[in-house]
Structure formats: C-alpha cells, structure tokens
C-alpha cells in the first residue's frame, strides 16, 4: 500500500474539504450532527468561513482523500484547549493507519498553534473509539455530555465523555472546564 499523507488545508482548499465532508456525511450519517442534505447547498462563503474557523486536516493516499479531521477552539473553556472533531476515515481505509496519521497530524497542529490539550468527545458506549483514543494517549475524564449525533436525540441515556490528550510543553494537569 502507498504512503498516507496528511496535509493542513487552507481557506483556498475549501473545495477539497467540501468534497470529503459531504462524502463523510453521506457514508456515515449516524456519526455526525449535520446531514449531507443540509450541507450540500452551502454557498462558497459558508465553506470558506468554516476553513477560517477551524484547522482542517486531509489524509490522502495516492492523492485520493481517505480521511479528514478538524481542530477548533470555538466553544472550549480555555484558550490553550483545542477540540478534535469531525474525524472520519473512508470505510475501505479503516484499520490501515489513516486515523492514527490524522491524530498524529492533529497533535502536531495543536502544538504548532500553542495549544496544550486536545479534547476528543467519544460515545461512552463506543468501546472501539475509546480504545483507539486511549492507545494514542488520550485519557478519559469525568466530563460527560448528552450525545449530539443524528438519530440519537430519542435516547436520553446516550452520552459522550471528554478524552484529553496533553500536547503542549506545559500540558500538566487535565483542564477541568472543557
């Protein structure tokens, strides 16, 4: 298999991000709050705004997009904390190292942006995701919130937990307010 590359997208790469985001929403609708129907008709400016708001990482193999992840600080309680979200890997590429390469790039990007911690919200009943994040160094916390995914609204017991990865030079204690 050829090498996996991950590149940080810029605002000018909004079309690349749009394509992989819509593919992710179509392939894995249960994994996202939004739907492909909602986002398909977003105008260019809305996509560009998304690119300015958060860092977007695109995983490629042979120049084909095979995964994506985002890092943002909007909604985090501390300036030194970023949130990893929108992680998606093409089904044919799962288990081939794409997710790990995206997490490596996310940690590197967070350090470059002077963040000290990355928060990743994971479904408490998603043992595979919890195990994967833990294997990368994310630590579970006591912070919980209701699950925010499409089709989960009716299950009041579905929750996500914050998992935290120290990434900065002064990453010390896990932040208490996420």
């Amino acid at each position: 298999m050829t090498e996996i590359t991950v590149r940080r997208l810029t605002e000018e790469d909004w079309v690349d991000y749009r394509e992989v985001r819509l593919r992710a929403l179509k392939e894995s609708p249960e994994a996202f709050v939004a739907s492909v129907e909602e986002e398909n008709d977003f105008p260019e400016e809305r996509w560009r705004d998304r690119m300015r708001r958060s860092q977007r990482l695109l995983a490629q193999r042979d120049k084909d997009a095979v995964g994506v992840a985002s890092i943002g600080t909007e909604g985090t309680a501390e300036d030194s904390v970023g949130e990893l979200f929108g992680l998606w890997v093409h089904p044919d590429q799962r288990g081939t190292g794409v997710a790990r390469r995206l997490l490596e790039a996310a940690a590197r990007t967070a350090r470059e942006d002077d963040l000290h911690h990355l928060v990743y919200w994971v479904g408490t009943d998603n043992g595979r995701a919890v195990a994967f994040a833990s294997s990368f160094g994310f630590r579970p916390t006591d912070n919980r919130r209701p699950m925010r995914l499409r089709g989960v609204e009716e299950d009041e017991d579905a929750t996500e937990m914050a998992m935290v990865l120290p990434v900065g030079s002064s990453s010390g204690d896990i932040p208490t307010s996420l």
Side-chain angles (χ1 to χ4, degrees):
M1 232 179 227
T2 57
E3 184 179 342
I4 302 160
T5 60
V6 177
R7 67 183 173 102
R8 190 180 213 181
L9 300 178
T10 68
E11 182 181 342
E12 297 309 312
D13 297 315
W14 71 271
V15 172
D16 294 337
Y17 175 67
R18 178 185 186 275
E19 287 175 7
V20 72
R21 170 72 178 178
L22 293 177
R23 189 166 12 138
L25 292 172
K26 184 176 183 180
E27 188 279 323
S28 302
E30 72 288 348
F32 298 95
V33 176
S35 72
V36 69
E37 294 80 17
E38 291 170 305
E39 295 193 9
N40 191 50
D41 294 326
F42 282 176
E44 176 180 336
E45 188 52 36
R46 179 107 179 239
W47 290 102
R48 287 182 174 276
D49 180 56
R50 284 180 150 188
M51 301 302 286
R52 289 187 295 265
R53 252 191 355 250
S54 300
Q55 298 297 322
R56 311 298 175 167
L57 303 171
L58 181 68
Q60 295 176 291
R61 192 184 297 269
D62 290 331
K63 298 189 180 184
D64 293 326
V66 294
V68 66
S70 298
I71 303 166
T73 56
E74 190 173 303
T76 59
E78 299 179 27
D79 291 340
S80 63
V81 176
E83 182 177 348
L84 174 70
F85 64 98
L87 176 63
W88 176 81
V89 174
H90 190 282
D92 294 344
Q93 298 295 314
R94 293 177 186 160
T96 67
V98 174
R100 182 158 291 279
R101 291 297 305 274
L102 282 165
L103 287 184
E104 290 167 354
R108 187 172 46 256
T109 297
R111 279 190 296 278
E112 290 169 359
D113 291 348
D114 294 323
L115 299 176
H116 298 164
H117 295 90
L118 270 182
V119 175
Y120 183 37
W121 289 93
V122 180
T124 54
D125 64 347
N126 189 342
R128 185 175 177 195
V130 171
F132 173 72
S134 295
S135 76
F136 193 79
F138 280 87
R139 298 181 291 201
T141 69
D142 292 333
N143 290 314
R144 303 285 189 273
R145 71 181 185 191
M147 184 74 77
R148 300 186 314 176
L149 297 175
R150 181 164 296 291
V152 181
E153 297 81 22
E154 65 279 353
D155 186 354
E156 295 175 10
D157 296 329
T159 59
E160 295 177 300
M161 76 169 147
M163 297 188 73
V164 177
L165 177 70
V167 293
S169 58
S170 59
S171 51
D173 294 333
I174 293 176
T176 55
S177 54
L178 301 172

